[in-house]
Amino acid sequence: MSMPYYVAPEQAMKDRADFARKGISRGRALVALRFENGIVLVAENASQSLRKVSEIYDRIAFAGVGKYNEFDQLRVAGIRSAELTGYQYSRDDVDARGLANDYAQLLGNSFTHGMKPMEVEILVAEVGIDGGRDDQIFHIMYDGTVIDRPDTCALGGESDAIATRLQEGFGEGLSLVDAIKLGVSALSGSDKEIPASSLEIALLERNGGRRCFRRLEPSEVDAVLQE
């Protein structure tokens, strides 16, 4: 009987991390940033039917990059978890922090014990009721690491360069139009132009209502970019 090859745990974790990062880097990036009345999420997405940004609950949005089938499974799991918590307790008990921790456990278990790690990075954002400092943006990595991003967040290919461009242009009290333009310019950089048809943009607005998620129509995106 042949003995299995021994692989040091450090090497196994490195190989898994390299595998996940390689898959994520092939995906198109997305960004999230605060503006004066909420949070805007801007994704480069050429598909008109497959969504990278979605609503999870009343004031909470989800976004993912990497393998679509894997982050869409996580989206569905988040909706079920939020609905169950809201039904058993109260709608006010559902928040982005709790969902981010749930996702961290799922991704951490997959990274450590699964046949292969999930090739995804996800974002959970919640718009606050009273002001910008109540807004929450959580970035969950492929290995289950949770990062609290207070103002801006970038996921996907070239995320470091995109995050730098976002931070350089960000300021308190950005209007919605300025926030969208900043998000698009951060994604495109100086060497390419992203047409409106390849953008997916959604908002979490402090609108005084229960549901705060709104997806911009292509005509609205085109109008904003032409201003």
Side-chain angles (χ1 to χ4, degrees), residues 21-187:
R21 282 196 293 263
K22 189 177 295 184
I24 293 165
S25 67
R26 289 193 290 264
R28 301 188 183 191
L30 66 83
V31 299
L33 64 153
R34 292 192 301 107
F35 69 103
E36 61 183 350
N37 200 37
I39 298 170
V40 61
L41 299 99
V42 182
E44 185 180 359
N45 183 7
S47 174
Q48 299 300 310
S49 56
L50 303 179
R51 299 299 190 185
K52 299 172 72 170
V53 181
S54 302
E55 181 181 28
I56 287 282
Y57 211 61
D58 296 344
R59 313 179 69 83
I60 302 173
F62 169 96
V65 297
K67 291 195 71 173
Y68 177 82
N69 67 315
E70 292 185 347
F71 70 70
D72 198 56
Q73 291 175 24
L74 293 172
R75 177 187 67 83
V76 173
I79 292 172
R80 289 174 176 164
S81 174
E83 291 288 352
L84 183 60
T85 301
Y87 176 76
Q88 287 183 324
Y89 302 101
S90 165
R91 301 189 77 89
D92 294 335
D93 291 326
V94 182
D95 63 0
R97 188 182 307 277
L99 283 170
N101 289 333
D102 290 344
Y103 281 134
Q105 292 183 31
L106 287 172
L107 286 167
N109 287 335
S110 172
F111 182 79
T112 305
H113 303 296
M115 290 294 292
K116 78 168 191 68
M118 285 190 169
E119 299 167 63
V120 298
E121 287 184 6
I122 61 174
L123 176 151
V124 180
E126 180 179 4
V127 64
I129 296 174
D130 298 325
R133 284 305 167 187
D134 293 330
D135 298 340
Q136 298 183 53
I137 303 174
F138 295 102
H139 179 186
I140 303 98
M141 305 285 286
Y142 54 84
D143 60 354
T145 301
V146 179
I147 306 171
D148 183 4
R149 305 288 191 186
D151 298 316
T152 65
C153 184
L155 284 72
E158 301 181 352
S159 60
D160 290 341
I162 293 170
T164 298
R165 292 194 287 268
L166 267 182
Q167 286 289 345
E168 289 174 350
F170 179 79
E172 289 291 338
L174 281 176
S175 69
L176 174 58
V177 171
D178 289 340
I180 291 175
K181 287 183 175 180
L182 173 59
V184 174
S185 66
L187 287 174

